[in-house]
Amino acid sequence: MKNIFYIITLSLLVWSCEDVIDVEVPNAAPKLVIDASLNWFDGTAGNEQNIILTLSAPYFNTEVPPANNATVTVTDTNNNTFVFTEDGTTGIYRTSNFIPEIDETYTLTILYAGETYTGTETLKSTVPVNSIEQNNDGGFTGDEIEIKAFYTDPANIDNYYFFEIQNPSLITPEFEAYKDEFVDGNEIFAFYSDEDLQAGDEIVIRNYGVTERFYEFMFLLLQQTETDGGPFQTQPATVRGNCINITNPDNFPLGYFRVSQAFEIIYTVE
């Protein structure tokens, strides 16, 4: 009986020591976030494109506020102007007359809240995935499915690749950035592994051609997101994209303007 009394007393002491802690996170003025990825997928005309504009929000916000009522245009060196019109109040701006051309240079212009943002990028080519290789005994413990997506790098050309892999068991895609510095002209592979992959799962593999500047941007961004310091770790530095605010440079935007040729392959896990 005495032992039971001690256990109950200890339990009460433990529960009585629990307090609700309010974490105060500093709030900064919202910044414009630019998700402008114009992708020309193989087998399509590439005329339908969209640009997503949002605003940065406090850490604990459950919703991402859209940036409404912006004026969004993209121009090329042939004086073609492509107007992106907002779809309702979603912050998604669409066009149906974009003209993609390999090695063409495009300039994005955004007028939002009295300020002008701009960015310039070149549409880079890429190559399709030749084959997929699957290993069911991967990972440290030998129980992960590993996927290798092989592609052939063109010789004597500096190439940069951005891979997006969509896994049905994950909410967000997996991203990888590659360059051909040491594998020029060879068949190489993008690598993906996940312990939750199962036979019958369909994964989507997309390969985008990108510029060296975008490769460096993504490389740094991926390095920072893969750290183990927890959600409140201070980033080594803010990773800047290729868009600037020409009205107020201190109020710089987040995100990137990218233009790519792209290939997609859907693979069913065996």
Side-chain angles (χ1 to χ4, degrees), residues 4-5 11 14-15 23 37 43 60 77 98 106 114 118 122 129 132 137 142 158 185 194 196 205 216 243 252 261 269:
I4 295 175
F5 175 76
S11 298
V14 171
W15 282 106
V23 178
S37 299
F60 289 108
T77 59
F98 183 69
Y106 298 87
T118 187
T122 301
V129 170
I132 302 290
D137 303 317
D158 292 334
D194 189 89
D196 295 323
I205 303 172
E216 293 172 348
C243 297
F252 58 87
Q261 183 189 34
V269 178

Side-chain angles (χ1 to χ4, degrees), residues 1-254:
M1 190 69 181
K2 188 179 295 184
N3 291 338
I4 295 175
F5 175 76
Y6 287 156
I7 293 172
I8 293 174
T9 303
L10 179 60
S11 298
L12 290 173
L13 288 173
V14 171
W15 282 106
S16 65
C17 291
E18 289 191 358
D19 293 322
V20 176
I21 300 175
D22 293 325
V23 178
E24 293 186 5
V25 179
N27 291 330
K31 284 187 175 294
L32 182 65
V33 181
I34 301 171
D35 181 1
S37 299
L38 308 186
N39 301 310
W40 180 19
F41 281 95
D42 181 58
T44 71
N47 59 301
E48 295 185 357
Q49 301 289 343
N50 64 72
I51 291 172
I52 303 173
L53 301 182
T54 57
L55 297 174
S56 60
Y59 182 83
F60 289 108
N61 273 32
T62 57
E63 296 183 357
V64 178
N68 302 125
N69 303 315
T71 300
V72 182
T73 59
V74 173
T75 58
D76 62 18
T77 59
N78 297 313
N79 294 320
N80 294 309
T81 299
F82 314 106
V83 178
F84 288 70
T85 304
E86 186 175 13
D87 185 357
T89 57
T90 62
I92 301 174
Y93 296 77
R94 305 183 188 276
T95 190
S96 59
N97 65 345
F98 183 69
I99 303 174
E101 183 179 341
I102 300 296
D103 293 330
E104 176 62 85
T105 298
Y106 298 87
T107 299
L108 168 68
T109 303
I110 299 171
L111 278 64
Y112 178 73
E115 298 182 346
T116 301
Y117 302 81
T118 187
T120 300
E121 189 64 300
T122 301
L123 195 160
K124 305 303 292 184
S125 63
T126 192
V127 295
V129 170
N130 300 329
S131 60
I132 302 290
E133 181 180 292
Q134 178 178 328
N135 174 24
N136 292 340
D137 303 317
F140 183 76
T141 58
D143 59 355
E144 292 186 13
I145 293 178
E146 295 178 345
I147 302 295
K148 292 181 180 180
F150 288 86
Y151 59 100
T152 302
D153 177 74
N156 303 318
I157 303 173
D158 292 334
N159 294 290
Y160 301 88
Y161 304 95
F162 177 53
F163 274 82
E164 173 189 2
I165 301 178
Q166 296 182 2
N167 181 338
S169 65
L170 299 178
I171 297 176
T172 58
E174 184 89 6
F175 299 110
E176 293 291 342
Y178 299 94
K179 61 179 178 178
D180 68 347
E181 182 178 4
F182 302 111
V183 293
D184 181 60
N186 293 303
E187 184 179 56
I188 49 181
F189 61 85
F191 178 83
Y192 177 70
S193 177
D194 189 89
E195 61 182 3
D196 295 323
L197 274 180
Q198 298 179 359
D201 285 347
E202 285 189 346
I203 61 173
V204 180
I205 303 172
R206 293 172 175 168
N207 180 17
Y208 305 93
V210 297
T211 60
E212 180 179 8
R213 183 173 181 180
F214 179 81
Y215 165 82
E216 293 172 348
F217 168 81
M218 271 318 291
F219 184 80
L220 290 174
L221 194 63
L222 290 172
Q223 275 191 325
Q224 293 196 7
T225 57
E226 291 173 359
T227 57
D228 298 323
F232 300 107
Q233 177 179 339
T234 302
Q235 290 185 342
T238 299
V239 182
R240 297 282 190 94
N242 62 342
C243 297
I244 61 172
N245 184 335
I246 61 176
T247 305
N248 178 13
D250 291 334
N251 186 27
F252 58 87
L254 305 175

